[in-house]
Amino acid sequence: MNICVIGTGYVGLVTGACFSEMGNQVTCVDTDAGKIEGLKNGVIPIHEPGLESVVTNNFREGRLRFTTSLPDAIKDSSLYFIAVGTPPREDGSADLEHVLAVARELGRHIDRYAVVVDKSTVPVGTADKVKAAIREEMRKRGASVEFDVVSNPEFLKEGDAVNDFMRPDRVVIGADSERAADILRSLYAPFTRNHERILVMGVRDAEMTKYAANAMLATKISFMNEIASLCERMGVDVENVRVGIGSDSRIGYSFIYPGCGYGGSCFPKDVKALIHTAEEAGFDPAILHAVEVRNENQKRRLFEKIAARFGPDLGGMTFALWGLAFKPGTDDMREAPAVVLLHQLIGAGARVRAYDPVAMTVARDTLPHEWFRAGKLTLGEHQNDALKGADALALVTEWKPFRYPDFGAMKRIMKRPVVFDGRNQYDPAQLRAEGFEYFGIGR
């Protein structure tokens, strides 16, 4: 098929690259000329394992193209995926400005039957707004072209997105037209050959499915973090509790790891957006409010432990920080717990030496430049560089290289052998036997 993907961010680039991997002709469109030029030269703007080879190979083979001109891309396609950003507004609602701008441009140019697919995460009712925007532009130019709008939400995990796309758990297609549903079924058939994983439902049902899925996962995380806080007060090790409940097949082990909160571009934004949607509908989403509050509190939990150990004034102290990205496998620092901790530590007068395997460039570009100029924040070239002269280590992101470090070397490098384990990666008994003070979550 000839496909046009509008937006080359995280979702758009993975979508376009993976469709081209299956032999489709794909044109990716973005208004950022620098990004498009970089993609043509093999520069991938995000860290995502496996994505670079898929992009460069298909670009070289001519199946994947990049352009800044949507009108030019429209000429060659009849299937359009909208994958632009939907950032949160101040009230928590999703900003649909970019989605509707793309819809209006499509309405100005499509001249034959087309299927317009909402790939971006959008609130219930967005497909209706996209349809109205396209129709209005057609009316202005006196055109009457048949088209359908479909919801096809993504369920990609950062750090494993290529594998998720190529081997999906499910493909949700929200369509009110059998013709459009059949086209999407054909497109996704190569991705679901070993067993049927395509779920066709109404457009609004599909829009809600995406938000409900992310909210459910966020709820599991916040629930476990709440149990962890209770365990601390009751003298219980939450890790034993986690294993005990995870062994129940009705619960499972996924997303029940206690820690210092969730972050990223999806869970925080989508929980807020679903809360806003519920309140607009006159419904009080009590559980979602609790999920959000617990997560915000959890992001402050490591600093609370640090302040309890050293006092609120951290002037003259140095802290090592392992992990800046919101999770392993990505360089995404949006809503990352590490950023919250950095603000708290530096605000309390401390200096921080930080290290992350892949997010260092993003950290230099996005964190306050004043921190670097004033020597409040230093980025180490190696994880042990961050430990030099440190009064304590805070582990925030559970990257694999942090799981089994040389504790003897750590103790020699650090000023004081104190570890604040924000992801419960270490065995408290082992660290204490090595001479460390250990502080975990719910332990």
Side-chain angles (χ1 to χ4, degrees), residues 3-233:
I3 301 167
C4 176
V5 178
I6 303 104
T8 59
Y10 184 82
V11 173
L13 187 56
V14 172
T15 298
C18 290
F19 278 146
S20 67
E21 180 75 359
M22 284 297 187
N24 297 287
Q25 295 294 317
V26 180
T27 302
C28 290
V29 183
D30 202 292
T31 57
D32 187 334
K35 182 189 287 188
I36 290 298
E37 194 59 32
L39 286 166
K40 290 178 178 178
N41 289 291
V43 178
I44 308 302
I46 57 175
H47 176 83
E48 183 58 45
L51 181 60
E52 182 177 359
S53 62
V54 177
V55 171
T56 55
N57 290 345
N58 284 285
F59 179 76
R60 184 177 60 249
E61 295 296 325
R63 290 186 296 270
L64 183 61
R65 299 192 302 122
F66 300 102
T67 182
T68 57
S69 175
L70 181 54
D72 288 347
I74 287 173
K75 296 174 185 176
D76 300 324
S77 307
S78 57
L79 183 56
Y80 307 97
F81 282 80
I82 301 177
V84 295
T86 56
R89 293 193 177 101
E90 287 187 11
D91 62 2
S93 63
D95 186 347
L96 299 179
E97 175 187 355
H98 302 302
V99 171
L100 296 178
V102 171
R104 286 190 287 271
E105 189 158 7
L106 289 172
R108 288 192 285 269
H109 294 284
I110 56 177
D111 56 6
R112 59 191 180 281
Y113 175 73
V115 176
V116 178
V117 184
D118 285 334
K119 197 68 175 171
S120 303
T121 300
V122 293
V124 174
T126 299
D128 295 334
K129 294 178 181 179
V130 168
K131 189 177 295 185
I134 294 173
R135 280 180 176 159
E136 176 60 18
E137 293 302 320
M138 287 184 175
R139 184 193 64 78
K140 289 179 182 177
R141 63 186 174 101
S144 179
V145 180
E146 188 179 358
F147 69 95
D148 287 303
V149 178
V150 172
S151 174
N152 174 221
E154 53 84 16
F155 299 98
L156 307 176
K157 298 186 297 291
E158 291 194 40
D160 200 26
V162 173
N163 183 62
D164 283 346
F165 200 102
M166 300 301 289
R167 301 173 184 83
D169 291 330
R170 77 287 206 194
V171 175
V172 173
I173 299 170
D176 296 330
S177 155
E178 193 60 36
R179 181 181 182 184
D182 285 343
I183 290 173
L184 268 292
R185 280 194 189 96
S186 296
L187 176 64
Y188 279 106
F191 298 90
T192 60
R193 292 189 66 183
N194 62 343
H195 67 274
E196 182 58 49
R197 284 168 284 177
I198 296 176
L199 307 176
V200 179
M201 58 186 71
V203 174
R204 295 170 73 88
D205 303 338
E207 290 171 335
M208 178 58 88
T209 296
K210 169 61 177 179
Y211 276 106
N214 279 354
M216 173 60 80
L217 298 176
T219 298
K220 291 184 72 175
I221 295 170
S222 282
F223 172 82
M224 204 63 209
N225 282 332
E226 186 141 305
I227 293 297
S229 293
L230 179 59
C231 285
E232 286 185 8
R233 294 185 176 227

Side-chain angles (χ1 to χ4, degrees), residues 324-365:
L324 294 167
F326 85 93
K327 62 176 281 188
T330 180
D331 60 356
D332 193 344
M333 290 178 57
R334 287 173 288 183
E335 302 277 353
V339 176
V340 175
L341 181 58
L342 281 171
H343 277 278
Q344 291 177 304
L345 289 172
I346 292 172
R351 295 181 182 275
V352 180
R353 298 176 63 86
Y355 173 79
D356 187 284
V358 304
M360 304 289 264
T361 299
V362 173
R364 291 189 185 94
D365 292 342

Side-chain angles (χ1 to χ4, degrees), residues 222-410:
S222 282
F223 172 82
M224 204 63 209
N225 282 332
E226 186 141 305
I227 293 297
S229 293
L230 179 59
C231 285
E232 286 185 8
R233 294 185 176 227
M234 303 297 292
V236 174
D237 187 338
V238 73
E239 286 301 307
N240 291 327
V241 176
R242 177 185 65 80
V243 173
I245 67 172
S247 59
D248 187 327
S249 61
R250 297 170 299 175
I251 298 172
Y253 291 104
S254 297
F255 292 87
I256 62 167
Y257 289 85
C260 47
Y262 59 76
S265 63
C266 295
F267 288 4
K269 173 176 71 73
D270 293 351
V271 169
K272 284 182 172 66
L274 191 52
I275 288 172
H276 184 271
T277 296
E279 291 176 341
E280 270 199 332
F283 178 76
D284 177 22
I287 292 177
L288 295 178
H289 278 301
V291 167
E292 185 176 40
V293 170
R294 167 49 57 194
N295 192 59
E296 292 306 310
N297 290 341
Q298 204 67 23
K299 288 182 178 181
R300 297 190 288 269
R301 193 72 188 101
L302 270 185
F303 182 78
E304 290 171 357
K305 289 176 175 286
I306 290 169
R309 168 62 178 81
F310 295 111
D313 183 359
L314 303 178
M317 299 187 69
T318 299
F319 287 83
L321 192 153
W322 279 359
L324 294 167
F326 85 93
K327 62 176 281 188
T330 180
D331 60 356
D332 193 344
M333 290 178 57
R334 287 173 288 183
E335 302 277 353
V339 176
V340 175
L341 181 58
L342 281 171
H343 277 278
Q344 291 177 304
L345 289 172
I346 292 172
R351 295 181 182 275
V352 180
R353 298 176 63 86
Y355 173 79
D356 187 284
V358 304
M360 304 289 264
T361 299
V362 173
R364 291 189 185 94
D365 292 342
T366 60
L367 293 175
H369 292 171
E370 167 60 23
W371 289 355
F372 297 104
R373 286 195 297 268
K376 297 176 181 179
L377 175 62
T378 303
L379 301 180
E381 294 299 318
H382 183 273
Q383 64 190 64
N384 282 353
D385 292 339
L387 300 175
K388 293 176 181 176
D391 291 280
L393 164 67
L395 186 147
V396 187
T397 313
E398 63 275 32
W399 287 96
K400 289 179 180 178
F402 302 157
R403 292 184 182 178
Y404 295 102
D406 183 336
F407 293 117
M410 288 174 60

